[in-house]
Amino acid sequence: MIEGHLKKMLSTLSNPVEYVLPIGDERIGLNQYLGKTIALTYEGEINCLNCGKRTKKSYSQGFCYYCMTKLAQCDLCIMKPETCHYHLGTCREPQWGEEFCFQDHFVYLANSSGLKVGITRHTQVPTRWVDQGATQALPIFKVRTRLQSGQVEMALKQHVSDKTDWRKMLKGQADHKNLYEHRDRLIEAAASELSNIQAANKDGDIELIKDAKQVEINYPVVEYPQKVTSFNFDKTARVEGRLMGIKGQYLILDSGVLNIRKFTSYKVQFDA
């Protein structure tokens, strides 16, 4: 039995992906439990990921309400980087913004529940792709700031989705795609918008990655569910079942699926 507060699963890109579940100070290797019965029991306590104070509800995946309204990492511009307002002098935490947002970002194509465009910091490759449950990924642009990544993504999402259908993603492997061909068609379709973005920024800020390699990702899954039923600790304190797979940030049990990241900061007990 292991007890503590949940954090998002850690992953290592191997064949298949290796998953570790952090609970408190413990790290549980999950792949070893495939096909075996596990249980997670919510103990009715949530502590803010930032300040540690007890909170009745988790905001922005693990924070209390006060921290959610004060921290830059909980601002809307994190989800929508094209709305970055640092240059207006209104960033909640300017120093944090300088460290987080003013670093190289990648704009990429991924195949999760289908073709999608996304962005991530250079330090989050390939973690971001695994967290989304992508089975294939290809970086297509490297940019200097988070704002620029949002601008490029906005141009591309006029021609391709930027969403993942999590239910479809959990039902099986996405149909294999040639991401190089999709990249070339997408860049051609968005040529005018991309040209305008490049003209509005400095030379070298928006760089097309011509030699990137398509990444293939396999997940530790024994069997995919035909019907996806999700667990919610706020409604069902004990989640138990045979671990049939792990994909994205989801545990796939024979009794339903559990989004670990959604319940960051929840105090739980793990049994196997």
Side-chain angles (χ1 to χ4, degrees), residues 38-63:
I38 65 171
L40 287 159
T41 305
Y42 171 45
E43 299 187 336
E45 183 178 329
I46 307 170
N47 292 85
C48 176
L49 193 59
N50 181 61
C51 70
K53 290 182 179 179
R54 191 161 180 169
T55 175
K56 291 182 178 179
K57 183 179 178 181
S58 170
Y59 298 87
S60 297
Q61 297 177 338
F63 298 93

mmCIF file of all heavy atoms in Angstrom, residues 38-63:
data_model
loop_
_atom_site.group_PDB
_atom_site.id
_atom_site.type_symbol
_atom_site.label_atom_id
_atom_site.label_comp_id
_atom_site.label_asym_id
_atom_site.label_seq_id
_atom_site.Cartn_x
_atom_site.Cartn_y
_atom_site.Cartn_z
ATOM 1 N N ILE A 38 -5.411 -3.514 -9.834
ATOM 2 C CA ILE A 38 -4.905 -2.415 -9.022
ATOM 3 C C ILE A 38 -6.098 -1.624 -8.485
ATOM 4 O O ILE A 38 -7.218 -1.735 -9.006
ATOM 5 C CB ILE A 38 -3.965 -1.472 -9.806
ATOM 6 C CG1 ILE A 38 -4.726 -0.760 -10.935
ATOM 7 C CG2 ILE A 38 -2.764 -2.238 -10.357
ATOM 8 C CD1 ILE A 38 -3.918 0.354 -11.605
ATOM 9 N N ALA A 39 -5.855 -0.826 -7.470
ATOM 10 C CA ALA A 39 -6.917 0.014 -6.910
ATOM 11 C C ALA A 39 -6.329 1.340 -6.457
ATOM 12 O O ALA A 39 -5.227 1.399 -5.904
ATOM 13 C CB ALA A 39 -7.595 -0.680 -5.734
ATOM 14 N N LEU A 40 -7.057 2.419 -6.720
ATOM 15 C CA LEU A 40 -6.716 3.753 -6.246
ATOM 16 C C LEU A 40 -7.909 4.262 -5.443
ATOM 17 O O LEU A 40 -9.033 4.308 -5.963
ATOM 18 C CB LEU A 40 -6.421 4.695 -7.412
ATOM 19 C CG LEU A 40 -5.090 4.464 -8.136
ATOM 20 C CD1 LEU A 40 -5.123 5.068 -9.525
ATOM 21 C CD2 LEU A 40 -3.948 5.079 -7.337
ATOM 22 N N THR A 41 -7.665 4.652 -4.210
ATOM 23 C CA THR A 41 -8.740 5.107 -3.341
ATOM 24 C C THR A 41 -8.498 6.550 -2.925
ATOM 25 O O THR A 41 -7.461 6.869 -2.310
ATOM 26 C CB THR A 41 -8.836 4.222 -2.082
ATOM 27 O OG1 THR A 41 -8.974 2.850 -2.469
ATOM 28 C CG2 THR A 41 -10.037 4.632 -1.233
ATOM 29 N N TYR A 42 -9.425 7.427 -3.266
ATOM 30 C CA TYR A 42 -9.339 8.842 -2.895
ATOM 31 C C TYR A 42 -9.699 8.991 -1.427
ATOM 32 O O TYR A 42 -10.737 8.524 -0.981
ATOM 33 C CB TYR A 42 -10.278 9.648 -3.793
ATOM 34 C CG TYR A 42 -10.472 11.091 -3.396
ATOM 35 C CD1 TYR A 42 -9.390 11.899 -3.041
ATOM 36 C CD2 TYR A 42 -11.748 11.651 -3.394
ATOM 37 C CE1 TYR A 42 -9.569 13.225 -2.692
ATOM 38 C CE2 TYR A 42 -11.944 12.991 -3.052
ATOM 39 C CZ TYR A 42 -10.849 13.770 -2.703
ATOM 40 O OH TYR A 42 -11.042 15.078 -2.351
ATOM 41 N N GLU A 43 -8.842 9.690 -0.677
ATOM 42 C CA GLU A 43 -9.019 9.795 0.765
ATOM 43 C C GLU A 43 -9.690 11.099 1.198
ATOM 44 O O GLU A 43 -9.682 11.442 2.388
ATOM 45 C CB GLU A 43 -7.679 9.617 1.469
ATOM 46 C CG GLU A 43 -7.071 8.239 1.194
ATOM 47 C CD GLU A 43 -5.825 7.962 2.020
ATOM 48 O OE1 GLU A 43 -5.163 8.924 2.461
ATOM 49 O OE2 GLU A 43 -5.512 6.770 2.223
ATOM 50 N N GLY A 44 -10.262 11.831 0.251
ATOM 51 C CA GLY A 44 -11.051 13.007 0.599
ATOM 52 C C GLY A 44 -10.259 14.256 0.905
ATOM 53 O O GLY A 44 -10.781 15.198 1.515
ATOM 54 N N GLU A 45 -9.009 14.306 0.452
ATOM 55 C CA GLU A 45 -8.159 15.466 0.741
ATOM 56 C C GLU A 45 -7.450 15.930 -0.521
ATOM 57 O O GLU A 45 -6.888 15.115 -1.260
ATOM 58 C CB GLU A 45 -7.135 15.108 1.819
ATOM 59 C CG GLU A 45 -6.240 16.257 2.242
ATOM 60 C CD GLU A 45 -5.271 15.863 3.348
ATOM 61 O OE1 GLU A 45 -5.635 14.992 4.168
ATOM 62 O OE2 GLU A 45 -4.158 16.412 3.385
ATOM 63 N N ILE A 46 -7.489 17.242 -0.778
ATOM 64 C CA ILE A 46 -6.780 17.846 -1.902
ATOM 65 C C ILE A 46 -5.918 18.970 -1.344
ATOM 66 O O ILE A 46 -6.408 19.819 -0.589
ATOM 67 C CB ILE A 46 -7.744 18.438 -2.948
ATOM 68 C CG1 ILE A 46 -8.786 17.406 -3.388
ATOM 69 C CG2 ILE A 46 -6.968 18.955 -4.162
ATOM 70 C CD1 ILE A 46 -9.903 17.994 -4.240
ATOM 71 N N ASN A 47 -4.640 18.973 -1.675
ATOM 72 C CA ASN A 47 -3.745 20.039 -1.243
ATOM 73 C C ASN A 47 -3.141 20.727 -2.451
ATOM 74 O O ASN A 47 -2.645 20.071 -3.367
ATOM 75 C CB ASN A 47 -2.636 19.484 -0.346
ATOM 76 C CG ASN A 47 -3.158 18.997 0.988
ATOM 77 O OD1 ASN A 47 -3.618 17.865 1.113
ATOM 78 N ND2 ASN A 47 -3.132 19.852 1.989
ATOM 79 N N CYS A 48 -3.183 22.043 -2.452
ATOM 80 C CA CYS A 48 -2.719 22.838 -3.587
ATOM 81 C C CYS A 48 -1.296 22.469 -3.988
ATOM 82 O O CYS A 48 -0.399 22.353 -3.144
ATOM 83 C CB CYS A 48 -2.808 24.322 -3.250
ATOM 84 S SG CYS A 48 -2.162 25.411 -4.540
ATOM 85 N N LEU A 49 -1.089 22.294 -5.261
ATOM 86 C CA LEU A 49 0.213 21.928 -5.810
ATOM 87 C C LEU A 49 1.255 23.005 -5.550
ATOM 88 O O LEU A 49 2.447 22.734 -5.475
ATOM 89 C CB LEU A 49 0.072 21.695 -7.322
ATOM 90 C CG LEU A 49 1.199 21.015 -8.083
ATOM 91 C CD1 LEU A 49 1.478 19.632 -7.524
ATOM 92 C CD2 LEU A 49 0.848 20.930 -9.562
ATOM 93 N N ASN A 50 0.806 24.262 -5.383
ATOM 94 C CA ASN A 50 1.735 25.380 -5.197
ATOM 95 C C ASN A 50 1.953 25.727 -3.731
ATOM 96 O O ASN A 50 3.078 25.686 -3.241
ATOM 97 C CB ASN A 50 1.222 26.614 -5.942
ATOM 98 C CG ASN A 50 2.156 27.799 -5.801
ATOM 99 O OD1 ASN A 50 3.319 27.745 -6.209
ATOM 100 N ND2 ASN A 50 1.675 28.881 -5.202
ATOM 101 N N CYS A 51 0.886 26.043 -3.010
ATOM 102 C CA CYS A 51 1.031 26.525 -1.627
ATOM 103 C C CYS A 51 0.842 25.427 -0.588
ATOM 104 O O CYS A 51 1.193 25.602 0.584
ATOM 105 C CB CYS A 51 0.063 27.674 -1.354
ATOM 106 S SG CYS A 51 -1.690 27.180 -1.292
ATOM 107 N N GLY A 52 0.289 24.284 -0.996
ATOM 108 C CA GLY A 52 0.111 23.167 -0.077
ATOM 109 C C GLY A 52 -1.127 23.231 0.787
ATOM 110 O O GLY A 52 -1.427 22.284 1.520
ATOM 111 N N LYS A 53 -1.872 24.324 0.713
ATOM 112 C CA LYS A 53 -3.065 24.451 1.547
ATOM 113 C C LYS A 53 -4.170 23.510 1.073
ATOM 114 O O LYS A 53 -4.277 23.199 -0.101
ATOM 115 C CB LYS A 53 -3.578 25.902 1.517
ATOM 116 C CG LYS A 53 -2.669 26.883 2.237
ATOM 117 C CD LYS A 53 -3.260 28.287 2.216
ATOM 118 C CE LYS A 53 -2.359 29.274 2.952
ATOM 119 N NZ LYS A 53 -2.912 30.653 2.912
ATOM 120 N N ARG A 54 -4.982 23.089 2.014
ATOM 121 C CA ARG A 54 -6.095 22.204 1.686
ATOM 122 C C ARG A 54 -7.156 22.984 0.919
ATOM 123 O O ARG A 54 -7.459 24.136 1.241
ATOM 124 C CB ARG A 54 -6.692 21.603 2.958
ATOM 125 C CG ARG A 54 -7.676 20.475 2.698
ATOM 126 C CD ARG A 54 -7.872 19.632 3.940
ATOM 127 N NE ARG A 54 -8.815 18.550 3.695
ATOM 128 C CZ ARG A 54 -9.014 17.550 4.534
ATOM 129 N NH1 ARG A 54 -8.331 17.493 5.683
ATOM 130 N NH2 ARG A 54 -9.882 16.592 4.251
ATOM 131 N N THR A 55 -7.706 22.372 -0.115
ATOM 132 C CA THR A 55 -8.725 23.020 -0.936
ATOM 133 C C THR A 55 -9.858 22.034 -1.197
ATOM 134 O O THR A 55 -9.618 20.832 -1.347
ATOM 135 C CB THR A 55 -8.138 23.539 -2.267
ATOM 136 O OG1 THR A 55 -9.181 24.062 -3.090
ATOM 137 C CG2 THR A 55 -7.420 22.436 -3.038
ATOM 138 N N LYS A 56 -11.081 22.540 -1.230
ATOM 139 C CA LYS A 56 -12.231 21.670 -1.467
ATOM 140 C C LYS A 56 -12.313 21.231 -2.926
ATOM 141 O O LYS A 56 -12.892 20.204 -3.242
ATOM 142 C CB LYS A 56 -13.525 22.391 -1.071
ATOM 143 C CG LYS A 56 -13.676 22.621 0.420
ATOM 144 C CD LYS A 56 -15.006 23.294 0.742
ATOM 145 C CE LYS A 56 -15.170 23.485 2.240
ATOM 146 N NZ LYS A 56 -16.465 24.154 2.555
ATOM 147 N N LYS A 57 -11.726 22.052 -3.818
ATOM 148 C CA LYS A 57 -11.794 21.771 -5.243
ATOM 149 C C LYS A 57 -10.447 22.054 -5.884
ATOM 150 O O LYS A 57 -9.740 22.967 -5.469
ATOM 151 C CB LYS A 57 -12.882 22.645 -5.894
ATOM 152 C CG LYS A 57 -13.098 22.393 -7.370
ATOM 153 C CD LYS A 57 -14.211 23.282 -7.912
ATOM 154 C CE LYS A 57 -14.392 23.058 -9.419
ATOM 155 N NZ LYS A 57 -15.463 23.932 -9.976
ATOM 156 N N SER A 58 -10.102 21.265 -6.864
ATOM 157 C CA SER A 58 -8.856 21.452 -7.604
ATOM 158 C C SER A 58 -9.112 22.320 -8.834
ATOM 159 O O SER A 58 -10.027 22.062 -9.606
ATOM 160 C CB SER A 58 -8.289 20.097 -8.031
ATOM 161 O OG SER A 58 -7.213 20.254 -8.930
ATOM 162 N N TYR A 59 -8.305 23.349 -8.999
ATOM 163 C CA TYR A 59 -8.412 24.234 -10.154
ATOM 164 C C TYR A 59 -7.153 24.110 -11.011
ATOM 165 O O TYR A 59 -6.046 23.981 -10.483
ATOM 166 C CB TYR A 59 -8.573 25.697 -9.714
ATOM 167 C CG TYR A 59 -9.827 25.975 -8.907
ATOM 168 C CD1 TYR A 59 -9.834 25.816 -7.530
ATOM 169 C CD2 TYR A 59 -11.003 26.391 -9.525
ATOM 170 C CE1 TYR A 59 -10.980 26.060 -6.778
ATOM 171 C CE2 TYR A 59 -12.157 26.636 -8.796
ATOM 172 C CZ TYR A 59 -12.132 26.472 -7.423
ATOM 173 O OH TYR A 59 -13.263 26.713 -6.693
ATOM 174 N N SER A 60 -7.340 24.155 -12.327
ATOM 175 C CA SER A 60 -6.212 24.089 -13.271
ATOM 176 C C SER A 60 -5.290 22.912 -12.960
ATOM 177 O O SER A 60 -4.069 23.034 -12.956
ATOM 178 C CB SER A 60 -5.415 25.395 -13.257
ATOM 179 O OG SER A 60 -6.201 26.479 -13.697
ATOM 180 N N GLN A 61 -5.904 21.776 -12.663
ATOM 181 C CA GLN A 61 -5.187 20.521 -12.434
ATOM 182 C C GLN A 61 -4.231 20.596 -11.252
ATOM 183 O O GLN A 61 -3.027 20.402 -11.392
ATOM 184 C CB GLN A 61 -4.444 20.087 -13.703
ATOM 185 C CG GLN A 61 -5.388 19.791 -14.863
ATOM 186 C CD GLN A 61 -4.660 19.438 -16.141
ATOM 187 O OE1 GLN A 61 -3.491 19.774 -16.318
ATOM 188 N NE2 GLN A 61 -5.348 18.764 -17.040
ATOM 189 N N GLY A 62 -4.796 20.926 -10.072
ATOM 190 C CA GLY A 62 -4.002 20.777 -8.860
ATOM 191 C C GLY A 62 -3.806 21.989 -7.985
ATOM 192 O O GLY A 62 -3.081 21.916 -6.988
ATOM 193 N N PHE A 63 -4.443 23.119 -8.302
ATOM 194 C CA PHE A 63 -4.213 24.339 -7.539
ATOM 195 C C PHE A 63 -5.464 24.762 -6.772
ATOM 196 O O PHE A 63 -6.589 24.421 -7.142
ATOM 197 C CB PHE A 63 -3.783 25.473 -8.478
ATOM 198 C CG PHE A 63 -2.500 25.197 -9.207
ATOM 199 C CD1 PHE A 63 -2.507 24.613 -10.470
ATOM 200 C CD2 PHE A 63 -1.280 25.501 -8.631
ATOM 201 C CE1 PHE A 63 -1.328 24.348 -11.146
ATOM 202 C CE2 PHE A 63 -0.092 25.236 -9.299
ATOM 203 C CZ PHE A 63 -0.117 24.657 -10.556
#
